[in-house]
Amino acid sequence: ENPHFVEKQKELEKEMEQRALAKAEDRMRLELQAMKEQWKRKEEERTQNESRERERKEKERNRELAFEKWKENAARERRSEEQGSNVSGLEEKNANNIMQQISQESTKRHHPILGPQIAQLPYKRIHLTSARTLASLPVYEKQRAYRHERALVMAKDKKKTLWMGVPGVISLMEDNDGRLSILDGQHRVGMMSLLEEEQRNIMENKDSGIANSTNEELAKLDLNNILVEVFFPRKSLSSPSGNADADGSSVLSSGGRKQQAEQENDRGAAIFTEINKAEPIKLLDLPGVATKRTRDIIDHAASHYRDAFPAMFSASQKCRAPHLNLDNLREALFASEVIKREKMGSGGELVKWIARKNEGLRKQYAEGEMDDAKSKLENGKKVGQATLKKARKHDFYLGLES
């Protein structure tokens, strides 16, 4: 071998090794720098999260303190009203004048949760409340089940009428402890929550250059001043089966608390029923018509088929065959009294019963076995080919006979 060549080869190998070593050092330096930056970002994020959590807890504490103060004031006002209701003649006239002054002063009050109070009537208060606050409230226990898809449809439709703002009023119920629940309007609250989320997205992307007339109108939609009515406890609920403390507040026995809870449920049911009598609420959802067990069985089975065949269900109660509406299906199952007739004890039994009905309809509308007589529904209407094709495609025939 040529000694000069060997020496040259060794120099090249040494140079390559030095380059590799330098690259490794650079890579290690970059990785170390990246780790430091990552640690710094995490530390900043942790500090920000701790700060936000402290602020949240402080706000929550202040809110609770304000709420307790509000409850004390409300209790004092109720006691004053009850004492004033016993006067007569001239005293009654003076009491009415005082109550009128109180009502005028109430417009200046501010509820710690609901915000400004704009009026107080003998049976309810009126507030202007933000959609975000309403979205944080629980729903009255006997309300119909909340369906997000319905809120989505309502939000989509609302974009066509943004010019009118948010019509109507959200109805709340307040119990003796001051706790609030949504009595009527839960789907409108869901709709407003969706629109508010879109508003935030519009504001975050306002500098992106993407704009249209709908977005501009939606950005201006006032969701911070929603009209709310709050039905508060009746005077008869102030002290059932209880004794009064020195300050005039009542101390309820266990029997009194039970009676009070029953009266509050009856009151909520009565208000809910009256509000929804003129609206397309189903009989099944009216308080006192069906037992909770019956509703649970029907809800389980109906939701099972809605989830299993989403393409065959429509949000509209006026949908056409072969589609079904969830509420219409629930109402039909309730009206049929199948649970009572078949002595069903679970939602699973009703699911199997519906499956057998669907199997029977599959045989009735079997491909190649239909003539003109069989191609008609029970109500005499013909089954269109497109309708039948979709039912066969999804193997779901219940909508043909709904």
Side-chain angles (χ1 to χ4, degrees), residues 88-120:
S88 60
L90 182 60
E91 291 180 353
E92 183 175 357
K93 183 177 180 180
N94 292 335
N96 289 335
N97 291 335
I98 293 173
M99 289 301 296
Q100 186 176 1
Q101 292 175 5
I102 292 175
S103 179
Q104 292 172 352
E105 291 173 359
S106 70
T107 60
K108 302 176 183 178
R109 294 175 186 166
H110 191 283
H111 191 280
I113 295 176
L114 299 177
Q117 175 179 308
I118 59 176
Q120 178 162 337

Side-chain angles (χ1 to χ4, degrees), residues 385-402:
Q385 290 300 312
T387 300
L388 190 57
K389 183 178 179 181
K390 185 166 186 178
R392 286 170 175 167
K393 176 183 177 182
H394 294 277
D395 197 26
F396 188 83
Y397 299 82
L398 297 177
L400 296 176
E401 301 280 59
S402 63

Side-chain angles (χ1 to χ4, degrees), residues 25-226:
E25 290 177 350
D26 290 341
R27 185 167 61 252
M28 289 180 64
R29 187 167 54 254
L30 291 173
E31 289 178 354
L32 182 60
Q33 183 179 355
M35 289 176 64
K36 288 181 178 179
E37 291 178 355
Q38 185 179 10
W39 178 85
K40 183 179 179 181
R41 284 196 301 270
K42 287 185 176 180
E43 186 66 18
E44 290 176 351
E45 184 178 349
R46 183 186 65 81
T47 303
Q48 291 175 356
N49 289 339
E50 288 179 352
S51 177
R52 281 196 291 266
E53 183 64 17
R54 283 195 299 270
E55 291 177 1
R56 185 192 67 79
K57 288 182 178 179
E58 183 65 23
K59 288 180 180 179
E60 186 67 24
R61 180 175 173 275
N62 293 335
R63 180 175 173 178
E64 289 176 358
L65 291 174
F67 185 55
E68 290 299 322
K69 186 176 180 180
W70 172 272
K71 284 168 57 178
E72 293 175 3
N73 293 336
R76 273 198 302 271
E77 288 178 10
R78 281 198 293 269
R79 289 196 295 272
S80 298
E81 290 174 5
E82 289 169 4
Q83 293 170 0
S85 64
N86 296 323
V87 299
S88 60
L90 182 60
E91 291 180 353
E92 183 175 357
K93 183 177 180 180
N94 292 335
N96 289 335
N97 291 335
I98 293 173
M99 289 301 296
Q100 186 176 1
Q101 292 175 5
I102 292 175
S103 179
Q104 292 172 352
E105 291 173 359
S106 70
T107 60
K108 302 176 183 178
R109 294 175 186 166
H110 191 283
H111 191 280
I113 295 176
L114 299 177
Q117 175 179 308
I118 59 176
Q120 178 162 337
L121 305 176
Y123 52 92
K124 69 179 179 181
R125 298 191 310 272
I126 309 297
H127 291 267
L128 287 177
T129 306
S130 70
R132 183 175 300 183
T133 296
L134 291 173
S136 68
L137 298 178
V139 176
Y140 170 57
E141 60 180 5
K142 293 185 179 180
Q143 251 274 35
R144 72 190 92 178
Y146 174 77
R147 303 196 211 296
H148 190 60
E149 63 270 21
R150 183 178 175 187
L152 286 169
V153 172
M154 292 172 66
K156 182 179 178 181
D157 291 341
K158 184 63 211 167
K159 292 178 185 177
K160 302 173 184 176
T161 58
L162 292 171
W163 55 270
M164 70 172 66
V166 183
V169 60
I170 304 298
S171 301
L172 307 181
M173 184 172 69
E174 181 181 79
D175 63 19
N176 280 307
D177 294 330
R179 289 174 296 184
L180 299 163
S181 58
I182 299 175
L183 195 60
D184 185 69
Q186 57 169 332
H187 288 98
R188 281 177 287 157
V189 171
M191 172 198 75
M192 289 187 288
S193 182
L194 291 168
L195 294 175
E196 186 182 35
E197 184 178 351
E198 287 195 43
Q199 276 187 338
R200 288 197 298 270
N201 293 334
I202 291 171
M203 297 306 295
E204 289 173 0
N205 300 318
K206 64 180 180 179
D207 296 329
S208 64
I210 302 175
N212 55 55
S213 58
T214 301
N215 284 352
E216 290 176 359
E217 282 190 73
L218 179 55
K220 296 176 183 177
L221 181 64
D222 185 3
L223 294 175
N224 292 318
N225 293 289
I226 305 303

Side-chain angles (χ1 to χ4, degrees), residues 305-365:
Y305 281 95
R306 187 270 312 272
D307 295 339
F309 302 92
M312 303 301 288
F313 278 79
S314 169
S316 172
Q317 293 187 9
K318 298 180 180 180
C319 59
R320 297 180 180 179
H323 301 96
L324 275 179
N325 171 263
L326 185 64
D327 285 325
N328 288 347
L329 174 60
R330 291 171 65 249
E331 187 73 356
L333 290 171
F334 175 67
S336 70
E337 297 187 341
V338 61
I339 296 174
K340 181 179 180 181
R341 187 173 64 252
E342 301 292 335
K343 298 180 179 179
M344 296 179 181
S346 69
E349 293 179 67
L350 184 55
V351 168
K352 292 177 182 178
W353 183 86
I354 295 174
R356 291 194 294 271
K357 289 295 180 182
N358 192 61
E359 176 64 25
L361 291 171
R362 179 193 295 115
K363 293 178 181 178
Q364 179 180 338
Y365 294 101

